[in-house]
Amino acid sequence: MELGISRWSPLFRTVQKSFFKFYILRSQMSLTGTSMGSGGQTARKAVNFGRTYVVRPKGKHQATVVWLHGLGDNGSSWSQLLETLPLPNIKWICPTSPTRPVSIFGGFPSTAWFDVGDLSENAADDLEGLDASAAHVANLLSTEPADIKLGVGGFSMGAATALYCASCCALGKYGNGNPYPAKISTVVGLSGWLPCSKTLKNKLEGENEAVTRAASLPVLLCHGTSDDVVPYKFGEKSSGTLKAAGFQNVIFKSYSGLGHFTIPEEMDQVCAWLSSNLGLDGSSS
């Protein structure tokens, strides 16, 4: 719809700038031949998260959603976009990830929720980084009122982190075995992938409470068919893996010709899905 595009396009361009910087930087680092192997061999330092941006609800507060940015981005650009959404009952929390050496950039520092050495199906998972970011999300949600529904979502690497949080929520524990405290009601992932996908089904099997939590957790995945950063097949396979593992309420939406960015049509789908699954009434008081 033209109305949606004219209303949203300046903010979409703001958000997209960081995606293109990521793509260009990735290309430059690969040309230098300095890319480190999968698994992240850079030295681990203390995790210091960046600034958190909060978008207060314009109406009655019914839900809080932590939204996670992509690689090389920060919480500010997404907070500007999320503030324009017709979801007056949601409080958005937009944290900024730590700045850390990223193996896919040859060790060059960038904002990243975890280290990534290769965007491939055989890439090793940075469990330490994933656990730290999932714990940060849980901490951000820990002070929300008991009657408020909680959600987590994100774009690209942020979507991957959100899906990892979904796994932790279902299993009731982090990858390191420590209890996961957050009670998440909804998960949204745009242009992302599922970390630790090869082991998720085995971890859930035989865990009755975990299976029940997985079955009842709504997940929305959206992906563009022309994504040249995180291939479309990653999103499609992530959806299939979640369903095979016991996540029964997974919706996968594909967008023909869409690259590694978001568009108003996609965000309209997110709004409708969140309103339905969080039971939002749109009231102002």
Side-chain angles (χ1 to χ4, degrees):
M1 295 175 56
E2 280 191 59
L3 177 60
I5 293 173
S6 63
R7 182 185 67 200
W8 297 51
S9 57
L11 287 170
F12 274 92
R13 286 196 294 270
T14 298
V15 172
Q16 289 168 15
K17 286 179 182 178
S18 61
F19 308 157
F20 294 127
K21 286 192 292 185
F22 156 51
Y23 183 75
I24 292 169
L25 180 55
R26 187 188 72 162
S27 301
Q28 290 173 338
M29 296 307 296
S30 64
L31 288 173
T32 64
T34 58
S35 178
M36 299 178 67
S38 176
Q41 301 301 314
T42 53
R44 180 73 67 189
K45 295 183 180 180
V47 178
N48 295 309
F49 289 87
R51 179 178 173 182
T52 296
Y53 300 81
V54 177
V55 179
R56 302 289 177 184
K58 298 177 178 64
K60 180 182 177 182
H61 184 195
Q62 295 179 307
T64 296
V65 178
V66 173
W67 190 271
L68 306 171
H69 63 76
L71 178 60
D73 201 0
N74 58 64
S76 175
S77 57
W78 276 100
S79 69
Q80 294 175 57
L81 173 57
L82 296 170
E83 190 170 17
T84 70
L85 300 184
L87 295 170
N89 306 119
I90 293 182
K91 171 185 174 182
W92 299 96
I93 302 177
C94 303
T96 299
S97 73
T99 296
R100 66 175 87 217
V102 178
S103 294
I104 201 171
F105 293 163
F108 190 87
S110 177
T111 51
W113 297 109
F114 52 90
D115 189 29
V116 57
D118 184 21
L119 288 177
S120 74
E121 296 179 71
N122 297 317
D125 292 300
D126 175 18
L127 281 175
E128 185 178 351
L130 284 162
D131 276 349
S133 292
H136 188 59
V137 171
N139 184 58
L140 290 170
L141 292 171
S142 65
T143 56
E144 293 303 296
D147 61 338
I148 297 301
K149 294 183 179 179
L150 308 178
V152 59
F155 176 87
S156 192
M157 177 180 272
T161 307
L163 292 178
Y164 184 73
C165 290
S167 300
C168 292
C169 180
L171 292 166
K173 58 187 177 181
Y174 296 98
N176 61 18
N178 291 336
Y180 185 76
K183 305 301 181 184
I184 299 172
S185 298
T186 51
V187 180
V188 178
L190 309 182
S191 305
W193 70 96
L194 175 66
C196 308
S197 60
K198 294 179 180 179
T199 60
L200 180 58
K201 185 177 180 180
N202 289 338
K203 288 181 178 178
L204 282 168
E205 285 181 346
E207 300 288 340
N208 292 335
E209 291 185 6
V211 170
T212 299
R213 285 192 294 266
S216 62
L217 181 59
V219 180
L220 172 66
L221 302 179
C222 301
H223 218 110
T225 60
S226 299
D227 193 327
D228 56 355
V229 176
V230 180
Y232 173 78
K233 66 178 182 180
F234 283 16
E236 195 173 37
K237 288 186 176 181
S238 294
S239 173
T241 299
L242 286 169
K243 291 178 180 178
F247 287 78
Q248 297 179 13
N249 191 358
V250 178
I251 293 179
F252 180 74
K253 302 289 290 186
S254 62
Y255 293 85
S256 180
L258 180 63
H260 197 65
F261 49 90
T262 188
I263 54 175
E265 179 186 357
E266 184 180 44
M267 295 308 296
D268 287 342
Q269 173 68 41
V270 171
C271 289
W273 187 85
L274 284 175
S275 294
S276 175
N277 283 276
L278 289 172
L280 305 180
D281 59 23
S283 63
S284 58
S285 61

